[in-house]
Amino acid sequence: MTRRTRTTALAAGVAVACVAVAPPVDALADRTLAAHMLQHMLLTMAAAPLIVIGSPVALVLRHAPARARRPL
């Protein structure tokens, strides 16, 4: 998987998570079970896998200084 693909997946995962907890969806989730379950599905079935595919730890390590990448 290319760096661009992983970065795109990470950004999409964060965007989906933000949409799931944004005021319109979150306010509706307080009133209806269907919206609440939609929120769960967005977070668990869309955002989480996209964030994992995005490899955030690898992204941070790639941009960290060499001293920080050294094993302990």
Side-chain angles (χ1 to χ4, degrees):
M1 205 174 269
T2 66
R3 288 182 183 180
R4 183 175 294 211
T5 304
R6 286 195 307 259
T7 303
T8 303
L10 180 61
V14 171
V16 169
C18 288
V19 167
V21 296
V25 176
D26 195 41
L28 191 60
D30 289 338
R31 288 180 288 197
T32 67
L33 179 63
H36 180 77
M37 295 314 296
L38 172 67
Q39 201 173 32
H40 280 278
M41 295 299 284
L42 285 172
L43 291 170
T44 61
M45 303 302 272
L50 285 169
I51 291 171
V52 169
I53 290 169
S55 304
V57 175
L59 182 66
V60 167
L61 287 175
R62 190 176 325 121
H63 295 290
R67 195 173 106 184
R69 290 181 281 190
R70 191 177 49 196
L72 295 174

